[in-house]
Each structure stands twice: as structure tokens, then as C-alpha cells.
Amino acid sequence: MRRTIALVSSGVLSVWAPASPVDQRLLVPTASGIGQWVVANPDAPSCTASMIVCSDKPMLSAIESGYELTNRVVVRTNRVGAFAALGARPAGVPDHLVIETPSVRDAASLARTLRLAPSVERVYVDVEAPKSLRSIPDDPFLELQWNLRNLQDPGIDANVVPVWEAGLSGAGVVVGVVETQNVQFAHPDLEANYNADASLVDRPFHQHTTAVAGIIAMVGNNQGGGAGASYGAQFSTMAVGSATKTAEAFAYRNDLNDIKNNSWGPPDNARIGRITTIEREALAEAVANGRAGLGEVFVWAAGNGGLNPDEREDYDPYASSRYTIAVSSFNDDGRFSEYAERGSSILVCAPSDGGFGSPQNRGIFSTDLVGSPGYDPGDYTDSFGGTSAAAPLAAGVIALLLEARPDLTWRDVQHILVRSARMIDESDAGWEFNGAGRMLHERYGFGAIDAGAALTIAQDWQTIGDERTAASGLITLNQAIPDNDPAGLTQTVEIPESFRVESVELALNIPGTFVGDLDVRITSPAGTETIFAEQRDGDFNDGYIDWIFTSTRHWGEDSAGVWTISVSDRAEGDLHTWQDFELRIFGSDEPFCRADISSTVDPTHPAYDDPDGMLDSADFFRFLDLFASGDMRADLTGSSDPNDPSFGVPDGQITPTDFFFYLDLFALGCP
């Protein structure tokens, strides 16, 4: 028999009368507000329920299921003694009580009544909301996807599991697969993630394109195949071709597409490729206005020509554009894939095949054309590879970041990748420091892409702000380059503006008869050298005409100072004229502060060696560690005399002069 409880001790309310049975809809006060609920058994102590979500837009109204309502009412009040008659018990938190009623219906009725009491600050029915398990997908072939989760050699992968376990899958992000053909979007492990509105389908389906899409967006937790790095993201498909066709793909539906992956490029033959003005401008337009002004994120395979010692990623005008993220690859031994090219604008690397005789040399598992030879029922392959497989993995990681932080700009994404990249194959002699103390490598860029570390940085990331630029202006020379003379010609440019460098462009016009004879490089004020081009026998193009080289090797350095451009002819018999050039520097608005070298005292944090715009104890003690360990990042100067040309220039030695130089920098503070 139901009872009526009188509440008189403090004027809380006179009567609470339990409701009589009605239909299965209840008005329930919960922590998120009062609303209509569909309740399975309101007269039970607890029961499943669905929340009716109403919207002024009828199409957005819905019923959210998976909740459980209880017979407990949570009350926050500073008059806890007034509720003793209801059998209230402390909730273990100051000023909070729990009242247990006979049923869910009674709890809802009591909570509605107590909402009117003046001494009650908050009151709501205790609800168990639906929860998703923070775990990796259960797809049967996930164990073959060592590039995502390497069970044999932990750490030689993209470290996506911590991001999945944080509940991220790329949901809400659309990744465009830009290829020479279209994705077989009806593939059973892709179809559910296909976005037709963001796609331009006018070419045949292709195995390569379908495998690229699978690495990004194979459907997860569907009891079939494997899972994409961003298995909850959507993908689209569009094809390149002629200049106008390619420009159309770059520009297509950038209101829907957030990322565009490109696993294609000019032939890897050690000859310079060509990009047309319409294609270049389409890229510029996409990063300026795509994603509602945040910028389309373009990911590019850095190329597979590394077995040719003359090939460089710099000769690919798409991968080496500052608007794109060039991705190289490493194998399951944790060394660069044998086909991985060298390049000055390679930003990061990601796992793929290619093994230097490795006993494993595993390929990449992904989707294949339905009915093709391979895993039963023939819809998958385990032998995909190349930087074609590394780039979409990076695109998938970026999709995870954009789910967590949809406000990131295209430049924010690059910053986070640089800061979170993990050094790989540490014994390789090609690693070196740039003038900002960042480790970099011509084949690995700033290191292996690390989804977990990237998410850690992204969670607290302050958007980088507007882009800063500085330029030399067009400098006309019209000088003949001495034939077969390594000394060549050298020009210097002084940049007065001081900011943190992101990328550097060198625009050149050097007509001639055999461009392969030429060596082109620049050196920053901090002493970091970028090699753009080297002498090679097979490139018979007639010069660098309206050519743009791009370097990311100076990332984080100070833009201000004297930059040196060197061009030389290293083979006999062909003549070239250096007509003109322009040096362009792009970066962030934050002024460069040389003493700012760390943002945390935690050496395990991925931003341990990253500046944060302020000087504090983290910077000072980080320098002490570098100095004490003999780390060459502590090599700051060759002289203590400001009038000495070696003042402020590293000299390859760590001496007390470096220590006192840093003390002076620290005392000066940041601008």
C-alpha cells in the first residue's frame, strides 16, 4: 500500500503524495534538466528508459535509449537535517543527500516536488547513462594490422590504440581519397562509412584506391575484415587527371571534406615534375577557405624512388608544397623503407612495407576489390605498401585529431605532428638538430607519426593564429653559373622580421640546357642547411622555370638574420643562367625566444622539448640537463664576445661559454 509522507520540519513542503499508476511516459528531473522519458517499468526500483530529445527542428528530434532510471533521488541542500524524515542518507559529498524511494515513478514524483522547495539547490533522479567501452575494435583481421597495433614489436606502429581507448574513432570527419581512379565504395567493409555527397565518381574502381580508403576508414566493430585508423570517419572519392580535372579534385566540396589524402605523384625518376598554376592555386584556395576557413588538410605520399640515389622528394612539386603534409615510411623493423626518398619538406613518416632483407617485411592489410585474390572472400589484401600506404595512415590519425579538436587549422595540424613525432631508428647517422633544437632526418622528417602523443598535445593546444610572412622580394641577377664548378654562385638575403619559422620557399628561374647538373641549397641564420637539389645524370629538363622549392627543416628557428642561397653546376658541358629568385618565409606570430626550449618538466610528455612562449624553470632545468649530458642542443655559441662573428653561432663544442650564454639569454627574457 502506498503511503503519504508529511514534510513539516523546516517548511520544505507539506506533502509528497506518490503518483498512481499511469502510462509508461514520465516527466523526470535529471542532472541535465527535466524532460519526458519513455519508461519500461516505472513501478520497479530500477528500469531501462529512453530520453525523448525534442528540437525546434523536427528532423533533429529523437529518442535516446540505453539509460537506466533508479529509485534514488539526489538532493543538494544546506539544510540536510530537514530531510531526516525521508530516510535521507549522506552521499559522501558535502551538502549532498540520497533519498531512496519505492520505485522509479516515486523517485520522479519526489524530485518534481522537491524542485519547488526553497532550501533545495539541486535535485534529480539518479540515472545511469549509456556508456561506450573504451576499447579497440574487434574486427577479425585487426591482428594483421601491425601498422596500427604491432603485437610483435610494440612501438613500431602509429600508436593509435590509446586514442581509440579515449573514445575517438574519427566520427564526424570526412577524408577525401584523391587518386587517379575511384574507390569501390560499395565494398562491404567500406560502404557504411561512404559519403556520397562529398564524392565525385566518374572513373572506374581501382585496387590501389580502395586499399588507401581501407587504411583510413575500414568500418570497425562490424565482425568483418579489419579497421581503419579512423574507423568511425567517413570517406569520399574523387579522381585527378588533367590540370583542370586535378584542380577540381583539390577544390571539390571542401565544405564537407576535411582532409584529402593523395597517394600519387609524378614518376619517381629523379627528374623534376611539373605542377600547373591552376593546380597550385587550387591548393592555395583550399587551405585558405576550406573547412569554413580553417583550411583543408592535404596529406601526400612522399614518393617511392629511394632505391635511386639521385631521387629526392623535392622534385615532386605536389608533395613538396607547403600546403601539403609529405609522409615518408618505415618498415616493421623500425627503419626507413628501402624505397623511402630523401627530401627537405618531408614532415613525418608512418609504417608501411619495405624491408632491407628483414625476415618479416610485412605488408599492409587493407580492403581490396571485391572478388580479387586474397583473404577469403577475396575482399582484402595483406600486401599493400609504399608511401601510398603510409600517407592514408597519417590521414587517419589526423581525422582522430579533428574529431577531438575540430577547431584546428591546417597549420595547427602540422604543428601538432611536428611536436608529437617520435624519433625512430635512433642509431641512424642521418639525424641532426636544426637551429631550434629539433631533431630531423631527410628520410624520416621530424619522426614517426604518433597518434597518442599527438592527442596529448592537441587536447591543450592553443590555435597558432594568423600566418606570418617575410620575403626578400624578387631579386634579379641574370648571372651565368660557372660550368662544372662546385663553388658556383652565392647570394645572401637579410630578413629583419623575427618570428618562428614553419616553412621556407625558394622561388627560382634558372634556364639552361640540363637541369640535372645543378646543386641548389639554402642555409638559415642558425646554420641549418637545406639541400633542395643535387647533381644527377638523368634529368635533362631545361632548367628551373617558375620553380618553387619548399623546406620544413628550419621549423621553429628564428626567421630574422642572413639567409644564404647557393647554386652551383656540378657537371661539365651545359650552361645555365641564374635569372632571379625570391626567398619566402612563413611562420607563426610568436616572436622567437632562443631561451624558451621547454614547456614542461615532465620528460615523458611529448612536448618536453617544445617552447611555450614563456621562460620559467622548465626551460632553465632543461638546458642544465642538455648541458650536463653533452647534448649538442646545448651548443649555442663559439664566443662570448658580441663583436666576434662566432657570437651566437654553434661551433660544434659544448663549453662553459655556452652555459653563460644561456644564462644571459634567460636573464633577458622573451620579447
Side-chain angles (χ1 to χ4, degrees):
M1 177 177 178
R2 296 185 178 275
R3 58 196 175 108
T4 299
I5 299 177
L7 305 177
V8 296
S9 58
S10 65
V12 173
L13 200 66
S14 58
V15 174
W16 163 46
S20 57
V22 289
D23 60 23
Q24 303 298 301
R25 291 199 177 205
L26 282 182
L27 190 65
V28 182
T30 67
S32 58
I34 187 167
Q36 288 283 343
W37 289 71
V38 177
V39 184
N41 186 3
D43 297 315
S46 66
C47 65
T48 59
S50 300
M51 180 172 57
I52 301 174
V53 181
C54 296
S55 171
D56 56 356
K57 298 179 180 180
M59 293 298 293
L60 297 181
S61 297
I63 294 179
E64 290 184 0
S65 60
Y67 292 84
E68 183 166 339
L69 295 179
T70 74
N71 61 343
R72 297 183 298 274
V73 177
V74 180
V75 181
R76 179 178 180 178
T77 176
N78 57 9
R79 303 286 298 276
V80 294
F83 296 85
L86 293 178
R89 58 181 172 82
V93 178
D95 299 333
H96 282 73
L97 300 170
V98 174
I99 303 171
E100 191 162 321
T101 69
S103 70
V104 169
R105 190 191 306 277
D106 293 332
S109 178
L110 176 61
R112 291 197 303 270
T113 302
L114 292 181
R115 290 179 81 237
L116 305 176
S119 61
V120 173
E121 298 177 30
R122 293 287 305 275
V123 59
Y124 49 88
V125 174
D126 195 13
V127 179
E128 182 172 345
K131 298 176 178 64
S132 61
L133 296 177
R134 303 311 195 196
S135 62
I136 63 175
D138 60 3
D139 302 80
F141 290 144
L142 184 63
E143 63 183 26
L144 298 177
Q145 296 181 266
W146 67 268
N147 55 332
L148 302 180
R149 181 187 58 159
N150 195 331
L151 299 176
Q152 291 181 224
D153 297 294
I156 303 178
D157 53 35
N159 194 29
V160 298
V161 170
V163 183
W164 289 347
E165 290 178 334
L168 297 171
S169 65
V173 180
V174 182
V175 184
V177 177
V178 183
E179 292 275 336
T180 58
Q181 308 292 338
N182 284 130
V183 176
Q184 189 181 47
F185 50 82
H187 189 289
D189 215 3
L190 292 173
E191 186 173 15
N193 283 341
Y194 174 56
N195 188 317
D197 291 337
S199 298
L200 185 60
V201 180
D202 55 5
R203 294 285 178 87
F205 303 143
H206 195 272
Q207 290 175 308
H208 184 278
T209 314
T210 303
V212 167
I215 291 173
I216 298 166
M218 261 190 292
V219 179
N221 296 309
N222 65 341
Q223 290 77 53
S230 51
Y231 61 85
Q234 294 185 318
F235 75 92
S236 64
T237 179
M238 59 213 73
V240 297
S242 66
T244 56
K245 174 68 173 169
T246 302
E248 179 187 27
F250 294 163
Y252 190 73
R253 294 311 304 263
N254 290 335
D255 57 330
L256 298 179
N257 289 295
D258 301 294
I259 305 162
K260 287 184 175 176
N261 183 84
N262 295 262
S263 290
W264 62 275
D268 297 319
N269 55 11
R271 301 173 190 166
I272 57 172
R274 298 293 184 188
I275 184 172
T276 62
T277 55
I278 191 172
E279 293 169 295
R280 185 181 291 160
E281 291 304 314
L283 285 173
E285 171 67 18
V287 299
N289 297 311
R291 295 176 56 232
L294 295 174
E296 192 76 9
V297 180
F298 285 92
V299 180
W300 223 282
N304 302 331
L307 289 173
N308 181 346
D310 289 338
E311 174 67 330
R312 294 185 64 90
E313 171 261 0
D314 302 276
Y315 308 145
D316 176 347
Y318 302 93
S320 65
S321 167
R322 75 183 186 91
Y323 300 125
T324 68
I325 296 170
V327 182
S328 188
S329 66
F330 59 91
N331 62 30
D332 61 351
D333 278 348
R335 295 184 293 169
F336 63 83
S337 303
E338 56 190 1
Y339 51 76
E341 297 180 12
R342 298 168 298 140
S344 59
S345 65
I346 294 172
L347 203 70
V348 290
C349 55
S352 188
D353 69 337
F356 288 116
S358 162
Q360 299 182 80
N361 191 20
R362 288 172 287 177
I364 301 301
F365 180 90
S366 191
T367 44
D368 201 352
L369 290 180
V370 173
S372 60
Y375 282 83
D376 186 40
D379 302 340
Y380 302 93
T381 177
D382 68 341
S383 58
F384 193 50
T387 55
S388 287
L393 179 50
V397 169
I398 295 168
L400 298 174
L401 296 181
L402 292 187
E403 180 189 2
R405 289 290 306 272
D407 61 324
L408 295 175
T409 68
W410 67 282
R411 290 171 51 241
D412 289 325
V413 169
Q414 293 191 14
H415 273 271
I416 291 169
L417 293 183
V418 168
R419 284 165 164 77
S420 61
R422 182 180 71 248
M423 188 177 179
I424 195 167
D425 191 12
E426 297 182 15
S427 63
D428 190 296
W431 286 103
E432 56 186 313
F433 293 106
N434 72 1
R438 293 197 176 279
M439 292 291 290
L440 69 161
H441 192 289
E442 277 201 309
R443 280 192 167 93
Y444 295 124
F446 290 96
I449 197 164
D450 187 313
L455 178 62
T456 298
I457 292 174
Q459 288 170 331
D460 299 321
W461 182 254
Q462 299 294 316
T463 54
I464 202 66
D466 293 339
E467 188 175 58
R468 284 287 304 273
T469 62
S472 65
L474 184 65
I475 297 177
T476 302
L477 301 174
N478 288 323
Q479 293 186 32
I481 301 172
D483 187 38
N484 195 24
D485 182 356
L489 299 176
T490 298
Q491 292 290 316
T492 58
V493 171
E494 184 163 6
I495 299 295
E497 297 93 339
S498 177
F499 53 83
R500 290 193 182 277
V501 175
E502 293 169 3
S503 60
V504 180
E505 287 184 344
L506 177 64
L508 283 175
N509 278 294
I510 305 179
T513 53
F514 198 93
V515 75
D517 285 359
L518 299 181
D519 183 284
V520 181
R521 54 190 72 195
I522 63 173
T523 304
S524 70
T528 304
E529 184 180 65
T530 283
I531 299 172
F532 283 132
E534 296 174 291
Q535 187 274 328
R536 54 203 183 277
D537 292 334
D539 194 345
F540 45 75
N541 282 284
D542 56 2
Y544 295 114
I545 308 300
D546 294 325
W547 185 267
I548 298 176
F549 284 115
T550 304
S551 173
T552 58
R553 291 176 57 81
H554 308 282
W555 195 286
E557 294 184 355
D558 189 355
S559 59
V562 176
W563 292 76
T564 303
I565 303 94
S566 302
V567 178
S568 59
D569 185 312
R570 304 290 181 100
E572 188 175 4
D574 291 278
L575 302 178
H576 301 82
T577 300
W578 190 355
Q579 282 187 345
D580 55 49
F581 74 94
E582 182 175 23
L583 186 74
R584 300 189 283 255
I585 305 173
F586 305 88
S588 62
D589 196 38
E590 181 183 14
F592 184 85
C593 179
R594 197 171 181 186
D596 177 19
I597 59 174
S598 184
S599 59
T600 174
V601 294
D602 178 8
T604 66
H605 195 284
Y608 182 48
D609 284 319
D610 283 324
D612 59 359
M614 64 180 72
L615 285 184
D616 54 25
S617 61
D619 301 295
F620 184 78
F621 288 112
R622 180 58 179 140
F623 180 79
L624 284 184
D625 287 343
L626 295 173
F627 185 83
S629 64
D631 192 302
M632 293 309 296
R633 282 174 286 185
D635 176 22
L636 301 177
T637 186
S639 172
S640 59
D641 179 4
N643 297 315
D644 191 306
S646 63
F647 180 72
V649 178
D651 63 351
Q653 303 179 69
I654 297 176
T655 67
T657 302
D658 298 298
F659 180 80
F660 291 113
F661 186 81
Y662 184 81
L663 284 184
D664 289 341
L665 291 175
F666 191 83
L668 287 172
C670 289

